[in-house]
Amino acid sequence: MVDYRKILFGWCLINVLFIWSYTSRARSTAMAESFMKYKDKNQAVEVRVQDLLSRMTLQEKIGQMTQIDRSVASFEVMKNYSIGSTLSGGESVPFRGATARDWINIINEFQEGALASRLGIPMFYGIDAIHGNAIVYNATVFPHNIGLGAARDAELIRKIGAATALEVRATGISYAFAPCIAVCRDPRWGRCYESYSEDPQIVQEMTDIIYGLQGENPIKGIPYVGGRDKVIACAKHYVGDGGTTNGIDESNTVIDAAGLFKIHMPAYLDAINKGVSTIMVSFSSLNGKKMHANRDLITGYLKNTLQFKGIVISDWEGLDRMTTPNNANFTNSVLAGIRAGLDMVMLPYNYTEFMDILTNLVKNDYVPMERIDDAVRRILRVKFIMGLFENPMADFSLINELGSQAHRNLAREAVRKSLVLLKNGKEGDSPLLPLPKRTSKILVAGTHAHNLGYQCGGWTISWQGFLDNNENRGTTILNAVRSAVHPSTEVVYKEEPDKEFVNSNNFTYAIIVAGEPSYAEWHGDSQTLTMTEPGPAIISNVCKSIKCVVVVISGRPIVIEPYMDSIDALVAAWLPGTEGQGVTDMLFGDYEFTGKLPRTWFRTVDQLPMNVGDLHYDPLFPFGYGLTTNNIRLSVTKSEIQYE
């Protein structure tokens, strides 16, 4: 006879065991999900990276590889596409005159969107802070790199890096596309002022700015960002961008392997050793091959041989520019760039097209998932290292660092150390510099004497710079002269004086400030390197009548030999930035000239390219040249010493 009670008991027991097993598994799963290692700051960085990577979908991974411009970013875009990074291009500011507080509010809105995504991965925000956070209104604008190469002061460059980091963080930004460690071999290149020198050794020494920007990691060779007052740095542009034929921007560098590794590569070894977190790939080609598609040098050498652990990022629309015309075959460009080893792509607008194309390339096995995981692993590594998961939101605690007096004092020091004295007195005459502060009447002339935009150069407020005194706060050289001289000295300013004006006034001496207009990238390419008109006419009208010092404001050596005989004193001031008092500190003898030419000053453009060590080396002023005023200042009159 069947015992139904036993059957019922057995059935109930089975159900109880099933329910217990199910709830136990569910409870275990819930506990596992609640303990996400990537959210635990006590876990090792690589453990956190792997945990987060294992949870990500392909769409989320590709989102992390995407960098978009501020103008197309929003809370919804950041959330829905898991965007890894946002940036401001040279023209992309919230609005003219935006304050640090304005920047922070906008960036935090984007960050809130990123944090609202499924996994809550924070984004980082980038800007071209190549000579201070100069795109931002009220920022301290330091001399461009060519001037810092003339200063050759590693401790100074560290301090500038630290000050720049503070001013970048003051606006809520955590990523600076700096330093440029190109070795400019031809001044006809429109980016030559972004290069510290034609000498690879000087460029190597200047990579100490990375310590200022990021902090110094006790463990060499590992990406590092040492706190909320530091930023992600970016060594650029990898590699050979300063050696293009005829100095044409974004064109082809023709060089053998020995030359490449002797001239253009050494600074990258230093940058990696100093913990740089990102490296930007160059628009240019190397021996006919686009660098954005150069797998041998990106993956083979940079990642595998040098063991670089940070992020390799493209330049602005770098994938588009791999073809002529631009964007002729974007799918092929995405394939070539990602397979070459790009980790993050600065699109900066067509992000949905990029994400769709890369998704299809992965799903159809054109790009292996291992390549995607390598890219995302590097991006997440930097984010964890910099503490972005613990402190994703910008605050207002550093807003007073933007344009602070301490930073302006540092910039003024940098100007003093960057100036190079090329001539001081005609043959047979006594030196003109230092100038007396106390005299009857002096003339200040030239297109660049009272123009802060020219003084700062490109990458200031906007991509190509600005053209007046209203877009940023600073001191023009004219105003610096007015504040430097004795109160009894009359300062007469005439931008373009004619001979009659000069001869009809009893000037003791004249200060002429002339040079180049502002420019950036290919807009600055020049095969003539001439001084902006009417600079030459001003020199002729003034210097043939009275004692004159000519201050050249330029991003590189320019044609000056035709005017040398008429000039009494000549100073290369490069692109000094906002602190014009640094120029007058030197002209009036408050400090001694110590700057040395970071690159060769040619006689004629027909000699170019010409660099120190070349077989036929016949410059107007050789590399390393620079006069001093060590003994001259002793002759300053007693009354001036008392005034000072």
Side-chain angles (χ1 to χ4, degrees):
M1 184 176 181
V2 178
D3 190 342
Y4 289 102
R5 287 176 300 178
K6 290 182 179 179
I7 294 174
L8 180 62
F9 175 79
W11 182 84
C12 290
L13 181 62
I14 290 171
N15 276 274
V16 168
L17 291 172
F18 174 79
I19 293 169
W20 177 84
S21 176
Y22 176 81
T23 56
S24 178
R25 286 197 305 271
R27 189 163 50 249
S28 297
T29 301
M31 288 178 64
E33 289 180 351
S34 66
F35 179 64
M36 297 182 177
K37 291 181 180 179
Y38 79 89
K39 293 186 176 182
D40 182 2
K41 66 179 181 180
N42 295 315
Q43 297 288 327
V45 167
E46 296 305 324
V47 172
R48 299 178 77 182
V49 168
Q50 186 55 44
D51 180 65
L52 180 51
L53 189 65
S54 69
R55 300 173 187 273
M56 296 174 70
T57 65
L58 176 59
Q59 180 183 358
E60 289 167 335
K61 291 176 181 179
I62 292 175
Q64 285 300 298
M65 297 171 67
T66 304
Q67 186 178 63
I68 63 175
D69 186 72
R70 175 206 58 82
S71 60
V72 297
S74 66
F75 178 97
E76 291 75 18
V77 168
M78 302 304 292
K79 175 186 175 182
N80 295 336
Y81 292 93
S82 298
I83 299 296
S85 180
T86 314
L87 84 154
S88 275
E91 302 291 333
S92 184
V93 298
F95 52 87
R96 289 290 191 185
T99 66
R101 191 176 294 273
D102 295 325
W103 280 89
I104 289 172
N105 288 335
I106 289 170
I107 292 167
N108 275 348
E109 180 184 350
F110 300 154
Q111 189 68 282
E112 287 169 354
L115 296 175
S117 62
R118 184 179 73 91
L119 294 170
I121 305 173
M123 63 93 188
F124 49 66
Y125 195 103
I127 198 167
D128 283 286
I130 64 173
H131 61 144
N133 196 12
I135 302 298
V136 176
Y137 174 76
N138 197 40
T140 306
V141 181
F142 293 93
H144 266 297
N145 284 359
I146 190 169
L148 300 181
R152 304 188 189 185
D153 187 330
E155 182 59 29
L156 174 68
I157 201 82
R158 282 195 189 207
K159 291 178 181 178
I160 290 173
T164 299
L166 282 170
E167 297 210 12
V168 170
R169 281 288 195 171
T171 53
I173 299 170
S174 54
Y175 185 9
F177 301 124
C180 178
I181 55 175
V183 181
C184 176
R185 303 292 285 178
D186 193 325
R188 292 174 291 184
W189 185 38
R191 304 191 80 149
C192 202
Y193 63 74
E194 295 185 53
S195 169
Y196 295 108
S197 178
E198 70 186 46
D199 179 10
Q201 184 174 346
I202 291 177
V203 179
Q204 286 179 269
E205 293 168 0
M206 294 299 99
T207 58
D208 269 14
I209 196 172
I210 293 167
Y211 289 142
L213 291 165
Q214 294 191 162
E216 187 169 356
N217 190 353
I219 305 173
K220 301 297 182 184
I222 302 298
Y224 181 72
V225 181
R228 300 191 71 182
D229 60 347
K230 299 297 182 183
V231 295
I232 303 167
C234 180
K236 62 183 188 180
H237 308 85
Y238 186 80
V239 59
D241 52 336
T244 56
T245 302
N246 296 325
I248 298 173
D249 191 39
E250 301 185 21
S251 64
N252 189 35
T253 297
V254 179
I255 195 169
D256 60 18
L260 178 70
F261 286 94
K262 178 182 178 181
I263 296 172
H264 299 288
M265 193 66 78
Y268 286 96
L269 278 66
D270 287 75
I272 293 169
N273 188 52
K274 292 171 183 175
V276 73
S277 295
T278 71
I279 291 176
M280 184 182 293
V281 178
S282 176
F283 287 131
S284 59
S285 300
L286 185 66
N287 297 323
K289 186 175 184 63
K290 285 285 186 182
M291 274 305 307
H292 273 69
N294 198 320
R295 178 177 170 81
D296 289 340
L297 283 177
I298 297 175
T299 296
Y301 187 71
L302 186 60
K303 291 184 173 182
N304 294 342
T305 302
L306 298 184
Q307 290 293 294
F308 175 59
K309 301 297 183 184
I311 302 166
V312 177
I313 187 169
S314 82
D315 207 334
W316 178 276
E317 295 183 335
L319 294 183
D320 302 68
R321 300 190 196 188
M322 288 171 66
T323 57
T324 302
N326 290 350
N327 203 18
N329 189 338
F330 194 57
T331 297
N332 189 62
S333 295
V334 172
L335 176 63
I338 299 302
R339 290 184 67 171
L342 297 179
D343 302 316
M344 181 169 277
V345 178
M346 189 187 297
L347 289 160
Y349 306 118
N350 58 336
Y351 59 96
T352 55
E353 180 186 8
F354 165 75
M355 296 177 77
D356 290 343
I357 288 172
L358 185 53
T359 298
N360 288 330
L361 289 173
V362 174
K363 288 184 175 180
N364 288 287
D365 296 325
Y366 290 103
V367 174
M369 185 61 74
E370 291 80 3
R371 174 73 271 275
I372 301 298
D373 286 348
D374 169 62
V376 179
R377 184 175 287 109
R378 291 166 178 273
I379 294 164
L380 297 179
R381 179 182 293 130
V382 171
K383 290 185 176 184
F384 282 121
I385 285 172
M386 68 183 296
L388 195 58
F389 281 78
E390 286 67 53
N391 296 293
M393 306 301 293
D395 59 44
F396 303 104
S397 62
L398 295 175
I399 58 174
N400 291 331
E401 296 288 348
L402 186 70
S404 72
Q405 190 58 50
H407 295 164
R408 292 184 182 277
N409 292 343
L410 178 64
R412 183 172 176 174
E413 176 189 352
V415 174
R416 290 195 296 263
K417 292 181 175 180
S418 69
L419 266 58
V420 181
L421 180 58
L422 298 174
K423 183 179 181 180
N424 194 15
K426 295 177 182 177
E427 187 175 353
D429 289 350
S430 59
L432 179 61
L433 300 180
L435 300 169
K437 295 181 179 180
R438 174 179 286 176
T439 189
S440 57
K441 189 189 326 186
I442 64 175
L443 171 65
V444 178
T447 50
H448 292 55
H450 193 46
N451 190 307
L452 194 62
Y454 282 163
Q455 199 170 295
C456 292
W459 295 109
T460 312
I461 299 299
S462 67
W463 178 36
Q464 296 296 321
F466 63 101
L467 299 176
D468 53 38
N469 298 324
N470 302 319
E471 298 290 336
N472 203 3
R473 183 166 68 93
T475 304
T476 65
I477 294 172
L478 170 64
N479 286 339
V481 170
R482 286 171 170 162
S483 65
V485 298
H486 190 273
S488 65
T489 300
E490 182 182 357
V491 177
V492 177
Y493 171 59
K494 184 82 168 175
E495 181 175 314
E496 189 179 349
D498 56 27
K499 292 179 181 179
E500 182 180 353
F501 177 83
V502 175
N503 292 329
S504 62
N505 285 273
N506 189 26
F507 294 117
T508 308
Y509 58 82
I511 299 171
I512 301 170
V513 191
E516 291 188 299
S518 297
Y519 55 82
E521 299 188 61
W522 67 89
H523 289 266
D525 286 355
S526 173
Q527 297 300 307
T528 59
L529 296 177
T530 52
M531 180 181 292
T532 301
E533 296 290 349
I538 296 170
I539 292 173
S540 177
N541 290 341
V542 176
C543 295
K544 289 182 179 179
S545 300
I546 56 176
K547 296 282 188 180
C548 71
V549 53
V550 174
V551 179
V552 178
I553 303 294
S554 67
R556 54 204 166 184
I558 58 176
V559 173
I560 198 72
E561 187 177 42
Y563 326 119
M564 286 299 296
D565 288 344
S566 62
I567 295 171
D568 293 278
L570 178 65
V571 176
W574 314 113
L575 298 169
T578 51
E579 308 314 303
Q581 306 100 313
V583 175
T584 54
D585 286 342
M586 307 305 291
L587 296 182
F588 293 105
D590 295 323
Y591 294 84
E592 313 296 347
F593 281 89
T594 57
K596 305 297 179 185
L597 282 181
R599 61 172 312 101
T600 299
W601 203 297
F602 58 89
R603 295 180 183 276
T604 71
V605 292
D606 295 335
Q607 295 175 296
L608 300 176
M610 178 175 60
N611 295 281
V612 63
D614 287 355
L615 183 61
H616 301 290
Y617 191 69
D618 180 31
L620 180 62
F621 300 109
F623 170 84
Y625 181 84
L627 302 175
T628 66
T629 48
N630 289 342
N631 299 319
I632 299 170
R633 192 166 182 264
L634 297 176
S635 65
V636 175
T637 65
K638 183 178 180 181
S639 62
E640 287 179 301
I641 293 173
Q642 289 173 338
Y643 168 66
E644 292 173 353

mmCIF file of all heavy atoms in Angstrom, residues 599-625:
data_model
loop_
_atom_site.group_PDB
_atom_site.id
_atom_site.type_symbol
_atom_site.label_atom_id
_atom_site.label_comp_id
_atom_site.label_asym_id
_atom_site.label_seq_id
_atom_site.Cartn_x
_atom_site.Cartn_y
_atom_site.Cartn_z
ATOM 1 N N ARG A 599 67.875 78.140 -29.439
ATOM 2 C CA ARG A 599 68.001 77.683 -30.816
ATOM 3 C C ARG A 599 68.831 78.691 -31.607
ATOM 4 O O ARG A 599 68.993 79.856 -31.212
ATOM 5 C CB ARG A 599 66.633 77.472 -31.451
ATOM 6 C CG ARG A 599 65.724 78.641 -31.564
ATOM 7 C CD ARG A 599 64.498 78.248 -32.407
ATOM 8 N NE ARG A 599 64.892 77.583 -33.632
ATOM 9 C CZ ARG A 599 64.867 76.259 -33.829
ATOM 10 N NH1 ARG A 599 64.415 75.444 -32.907
ATOM 11 N NH2 ARG A 599 65.263 75.735 -34.968
ATOM 12 N N THR A 600 69.337 78.238 -32.694
ATOM 13 C CA THR A 600 70.196 79.037 -33.563
ATOM 14 C C THR A 600 69.408 80.186 -34.181
ATOM 15 O O THR A 600 68.272 80.010 -34.628
ATOM 16 C CB THR A 600 70.758 78.140 -34.678
ATOM 17 O OG1 THR A 600 71.521 77.096 -34.085
ATOM 18 C CG2 THR A 600 71.611 78.935 -35.639
ATOM 19 N N TRP A 601 70.039 81.385 -34.195
ATOM 20 C CA TRP A 601 69.421 82.536 -34.876
ATOM 21 C C TRP A 601 70.095 82.696 -36.237
ATOM 22 O O TRP A 601 71.258 83.045 -36.341
ATOM 23 C CB TRP A 601 69.596 83.815 -34.049
ATOM 24 C CG TRP A 601 68.561 84.859 -34.393
ATOM 25 C CD1 TRP A 601 68.397 85.485 -35.595
ATOM 26 C CD2 TRP A 601 67.545 85.385 -33.526
ATOM 27 N NE1 TRP A 601 67.353 86.370 -35.545
ATOM 28 C CE2 TRP A 601 66.800 86.343 -34.291
ATOM 29 C CE3 TRP A 601 67.190 85.166 -32.200
ATOM 30 C CZ2 TRP A 601 65.734 87.057 -33.737
ATOM 31 C CZ3 TRP A 601 66.121 85.874 -31.666
ATOM 32 C CH2 TRP A 601 65.408 86.806 -32.423
ATOM 33 N N PHE A 602 69.364 82.421 -37.281
ATOM 34 C CA PHE A 602 69.888 82.382 -38.649
ATOM 35 C C PHE A 602 70.167 83.788 -39.183
ATOM 36 O O PHE A 602 69.666 84.794 -38.670
ATOM 37 C CB PHE A 602 68.882 81.686 -39.562
ATOM 38 C CG PHE A 602 67.529 82.349 -39.565
ATOM 39 C CD1 PHE A 602 67.228 83.379 -40.453
ATOM 40 C CD2 PHE A 602 66.546 81.964 -38.662
ATOM 41 C CE1 PHE A 602 65.997 84.000 -40.454
ATOM 42 C CE2 PHE A 602 65.300 82.589 -38.650
ATOM 43 C CZ PHE A 602 65.029 83.612 -39.542
ATOM 44 N N ARG A 603 70.952 83.861 -40.232
ATOM 45 C CA ARG A 603 71.145 85.123 -40.960
ATOM 46 C C ARG A 603 70.015 85.330 -41.966
ATOM 47 O O ARG A 603 69.372 86.371 -41.995
ATOM 48 C CB ARG A 603 72.490 85.109 -41.691
ATOM 49 C CG ARG A 603 73.705 85.061 -40.774
ATOM 50 C CD ARG A 603 74.990 85.057 -41.592
ATOM 51 N NE ARG A 603 76.164 84.934 -40.740
ATOM 52 C CZ ARG A 603 76.745 85.963 -40.123
ATOM 53 N NH1 ARG A 603 76.269 87.188 -40.291
ATOM 54 N NH2 ARG A 603 77.797 85.781 -39.353
ATOM 55 N N THR A 604 69.803 84.324 -42.816
ATOM 56 C CA THR A 604 68.744 84.383 -43.822
ATOM 57 C C THR A 604 67.981 83.066 -43.821
ATOM 58 O O THR A 604 68.523 82.017 -43.438
ATOM 59 C CB THR A 604 69.317 84.623 -45.235
ATOM 60 O OG1 THR A 604 69.989 83.438 -45.674
ATOM 61 C CG2 THR A 604 70.287 85.795 -45.245
ATOM 62 N N VAL A 605 66.746 83.108 -44.277
ATOM 63 C CA VAL A 605 65.933 81.892 -44.299
ATOM 64 C C VAL A 605 66.483 80.870 -45.288
ATOM 65 O O VAL A 605 66.155 79.678 -45.199
ATOM 66 C CB VAL A 605 64.457 82.207 -44.628
ATOM 67 C CG1 VAL A 605 63.805 82.972 -43.503
ATOM 68 C CG2 VAL A 605 64.331 82.960 -45.942
ATOM 69 N N ASP A 606 67.315 81.311 -46.209
ATOM 70 C CA ASP A 606 67.908 80.377 -47.168
ATOM 71 C C ASP A 606 68.802 79.357 -46.479
ATOM 72 O O ASP A 606 69.104 78.304 -47.054
ATOM 73 C CB ASP A 606 68.717 81.143 -48.221
ATOM 74 C CG ASP A 606 67.853 82.038 -49.091
ATOM 75 O OD1 ASP A 606 66.643 81.737 -49.216
ATOM 76 O OD2 ASP A 606 68.370 83.033 -49.626
ATOM 77 N N GLN A 607 69.244 79.662 -45.257
ATOM 78 C CA GLN A 607 70.107 78.743 -44.520
ATOM 79 C C GLN A 607 69.330 77.605 -43.864
ATOM 80 O O GLN A 607 69.936 76.620 -43.428
ATOM 81 C CB GLN A 607 70.852 79.503 -43.424
ATOM 82 C CG GLN A 607 71.830 80.555 -43.915
ATOM 83 C CD GLN A 607 72.419 81.335 -42.749
ATOM 84 O OE1 GLN A 607 71.711 82.035 -42.038
ATOM 85 N NE2 GLN A 607 73.716 81.200 -42.549
ATOM 86 N N LEU A 608 68.028 77.716 -43.789
ATOM 87 C CA LEU A 608 67.218 76.779 -43.011
ATOM 88 C C LEU A 608 66.935 75.496 -43.775
ATOM 89 O O LEU A 608 66.779 75.527 -45.005
ATOM 90 C CB LEU A 608 65.910 77.458 -42.607
ATOM 91 C CG LEU A 608 66.083 78.712 -41.748
ATOM 92 C CD1 LEU A 608 64.734 79.372 -41.481
ATOM 93 C CD2 LEU A 608 66.782 78.395 -40.438
ATOM 94 N N PRO A 609 66.841 74.384 -43.033
ATOM 95 C CA PRO A 609 67.064 74.260 -41.599
ATOM 96 C C PRO A 609 68.558 74.284 -41.250
ATOM 97 O O PRO A 609 69.374 73.739 -41.989
ATOM 98 C CB PRO A 609 66.447 72.914 -41.261
ATOM 99 C CG PRO A 609 66.587 72.111 -42.512
ATOM 100 C CD PRO A 609 66.427 73.098 -43.637
ATOM 101 N N MET A 610 68.869 74.903 -40.120
ATOM 102 C CA MET A 610 70.247 74.979 -39.641
ATOM 103 C C MET A 610 70.233 74.834 -38.118
ATOM 104 O O MET A 610 69.552 75.594 -37.429
ATOM 105 C CB MET A 610 70.899 76.304 -40.037
ATOM 106 C CG MET A 610 72.338 76.455 -39.529
ATOM 107 S SD MET A 610 73.152 77.967 -40.141
ATOM 108 C CE MET A 610 72.078 79.246 -39.489
ATOM 109 N N ASN A 611 70.952 73.843 -37.629
ATOM 110 C CA ASN A 611 70.997 73.580 -36.197
ATOM 111 C C ASN A 611 72.438 73.374 -35.753
ATOM 112 O O ASN A 611 73.309 73.011 -36.546
ATOM 113 C CB ASN A 611 70.168 72.332 -35.866
ATOM 114 C CG ASN A 611 68.692 72.526 -36.157
ATOM 115 O OD1 ASN A 611 67.975 73.140 -35.380
ATOM 116 N ND2 ASN A 611 68.233 71.999 -37.297
ATOM 117 N N VAL A 612 72.664 73.620 -34.478
ATOM 118 C CA VAL A 612 74.002 73.487 -33.930
ATOM 119 C C VAL A 612 74.540 72.086 -34.222
ATOM 120 O O VAL A 612 73.836 71.085 -34.107
ATOM 121 C CB VAL A 612 74.014 73.781 -32.414
ATOM 122 C CG1 VAL A 612 73.163 72.785 -31.623
ATOM 123 C CG2 VAL A 612 75.434 73.825 -31.878
ATOM 124 N N GLY A 613 75.791 72.031 -34.653
ATOM 125 C CA GLY A 613 76.407 70.759 -35.007
ATOM 126 C C GLY A 613 76.370 70.446 -36.474
ATOM 127 O O GLY A 613 77.043 69.513 -36.935
ATOM 128 N N ASP A 614 75.580 71.237 -37.243
ATOM 129 C CA ASP A 614 75.538 71.022 -38.689
ATOM 130 C C ASP A 614 76.898 71.349 -39.313
ATOM 131 O O ASP A 614 77.649 72.193 -38.811
ATOM 132 C CB ASP A 614 74.465 71.902 -39.333
ATOM 133 C CG ASP A 614 73.054 71.415 -39.029
ATOM 134 O OD1 ASP A 614 72.922 70.348 -38.411
ATOM 135 O OD2 ASP A 614 72.090 72.117 -39.408
ATOM 136 N N LEU A 615 77.177 70.703 -40.432
ATOM 137 C CA LEU A 615 78.464 70.877 -41.102
ATOM 138 C C LEU A 615 78.651 72.324 -41.553
ATOM 139 O O LEU A 615 79.703 72.926 -41.347
ATOM 140 C CB LEU A 615 78.562 69.921 -42.296
ATOM 141 C CG LEU A 615 79.885 69.932 -43.063
ATOM 142 C CD1 LEU A 615 81.042 69.522 -42.145
ATOM 143 C CD2 LEU A 615 79.811 68.994 -44.267
ATOM 144 N N HIS A 616 77.628 72.907 -42.157
ATOM 145 C CA HIS A 616 77.707 74.289 -42.637
ATOM 146 C C HIS A 616 76.908 75.166 -41.664
ATOM 147 O O HIS A 616 75.724 75.420 -41.856
ATOM 148 C CB HIS A 616 77.148 74.392 -44.064
ATOM 149 C CG HIS A 616 77.876 73.524 -45.044
ATOM 150 N ND1 HIS A 616 79.159 73.788 -45.453
ATOM 151 C CD2 HIS A 616 77.502 72.378 -45.674
ATOM 152 C CE1 HIS A 616 79.544 72.858 -46.312
ATOM 153 N NE2 HIS A 616 78.559 71.989 -46.459
ATOM 154 N N TYR A 617 77.572 75.608 -40.635
ATOM 155 C CA TYR A 617 76.923 76.337 -39.543
ATOM 156 C C TYR A 617 77.454 77.758 -39.520
ATOM 157 O O TYR A 617 78.578 78.014 -39.090
ATOM 158 C CB TYR A 617 77.195 75.621 -38.215
ATOM 159 C CG TYR A 617 76.376 76.126 -37.043
ATOM 160 C CD1 TYR A 617 75.002 75.901 -36.980
ATOM 161 C CD2 TYR A 617 76.988 76.797 -35.992
ATOM 162 C CE1 TYR A 617 74.249 76.342 -35.904
ATOM 163 C CE2 TYR A 617 76.241 77.243 -34.906
ATOM 164 C CZ TYR A 617 74.874 77.010 -34.864
ATOM 165 O OH TYR A 617 74.133 77.453 -33.788
ATOM 166 N N ASP A 618 76.643 78.692 -40.011
ATOM 167 C CA ASP A 618 77.074 80.083 -40.102
ATOM 168 C C ASP A 618 75.939 80.993 -39.641
ATOM 169 O O ASP A 618 75.337 81.719 -40.435
ATOM 170 C CB ASP A 618 77.479 80.414 -41.543
ATOM 171 C CG ASP A 618 77.947 81.858 -41.690
ATOM 172 O OD1 ASP A 618 78.510 82.413 -40.720
ATOM 173 O OD2 ASP A 618 77.719 82.438 -42.767
ATOM 174 N N PRO A 619 75.613 80.977 -38.347
ATOM 175 C CA PRO A 619 74.464 81.741 -37.869
ATOM 176 C C PRO A 619 74.790 83.203 -37.607
ATOM 177 O O PRO A 619 75.960 83.589 -37.507
ATOM 178 C CB PRO A 619 74.130 81.030 -36.563
ATOM 179 C CG PRO A 619 75.469 80.567 -36.060
ATOM 180 C CD PRO A 619 76.262 80.194 -37.282
ATOM 181 N N LEU A 620 73.745 83.995 -37.467
ATOM 182 C CA LEU A 620 73.907 85.360 -36.983
ATOM 183 C C LEU A 620 74.287 85.335 -35.509
ATOM 184 O O LEU A 620 75.214 86.031 -35.075
ATOM 185 C CB LEU A 620 72.605 86.138 -37.193
ATOM 186 C CG LEU A 620 72.594 87.602 -36.738
ATOM 187 C CD1 LEU A 620 73.626 88.426 -37.512
ATOM 188 C CD2 LEU A 620 71.198 88.197 -36.893
ATOM 189 N N PHE A 621 73.558 84.513 -34.735
ATOM 190 C CA PHE A 621 73.880 84.261 -33.334
ATOM 191 C C PHE A 621 73.803 82.752 -33.113
ATOM 192 O O PHE A 621 72.769 82.136 -33.400
ATOM 193 C CB PHE A 621 72.888 84.962 -32.399
ATOM 194 C CG PHE A 621 72.856 86.461 -32.550
ATOM 195 C CD1 PHE A 621 71.750 87.085 -33.130
ATOM 196 C CD2 PHE A 621 73.915 87.244 -32.116
ATOM 197 C CE1 PHE A 621 71.703 88.463 -33.272
ATOM 198 C CE2 PHE A 621 73.879 88.622 -32.256
ATOM 199 C CZ PHE A 621 72.778 89.236 -32.833
ATOM 200 N N PRO A 622 74.847 82.142 -32.601
ATOM 201 C CA PRO A 622 74.845 80.684 -32.459
ATOM 202 C C PRO A 622 73.986 80.213 -31.288
ATOM 203 O O PRO A 622 73.670 80.979 -30.366
ATOM 204 C CB PRO A 622 76.315 80.363 -32.218
ATOM 205 C CG PRO A 622 76.860 81.582 -31.555
ATOM 206 C CD PRO A 622 76.132 82.737 -32.187
ATOM 207 N N PHE A 623 73.632 78.965 -31.339
ATOM 208 C CA PHE A 623 72.949 78.313 -30.222
ATOM 209 C C PHE A 623 73.744 78.543 -28.935
ATOM 210 O O PHE A 623 74.965 78.414 -28.910
ATOM 211 C CB PHE A 623 72.843 76.814 -30.503
ATOM 212 C CG PHE A 623 72.384 76.000 -29.326
ATOM 213 C CD1 PHE A 623 71.034 75.862 -29.047
ATOM 214 C CD2 PHE A 623 73.311 75.371 -28.494
ATOM 215 C CE1 PHE A 623 70.619 75.109 -27.956
ATOM 216 C CE2 PHE A 623 72.906 74.619 -27.418
ATOM 217 C CZ PHE A 623 71.551 74.491 -27.137
ATOM 218 N N GLY A 624 73.046 78.909 -27.866
ATOM 219 C CA GLY A 624 73.708 79.134 -26.580
ATOM 220 C C GLY A 624 74.235 80.538 -26.377
ATOM 221 O O GLY A 624 74.765 80.866 -25.302
ATOM 222 N N TYR A 625 74.094 81.404 -27.392
ATOM 223 C CA TYR A 625 74.617 82.762 -27.288
ATOM 224 C C TYR A 625 73.739 83.597 -26.365
ATOM 225 O O TYR A 625 72.521 83.447 -26.322
ATOM 226 C CB TYR A 625 74.648 83.397 -28.676
ATOM 227 C CG TYR A 625 75.191 84.802 -28.727
ATOM 228 C CD1 TYR A 625 76.560 85.042 -28.797
ATOM 229 C CD2 TYR A 625 74.325 85.890 -28.705
ATOM 230 C CE1 TYR A 625 77.053 86.346 -28.852
ATOM 231 C CE2 TYR A 625 74.803 87.189 -28.766
ATOM 232 C CZ TYR A 625 76.173 87.407 -28.834
ATOM 233 O OH TYR A 625 76.655 88.690 -28.877
#
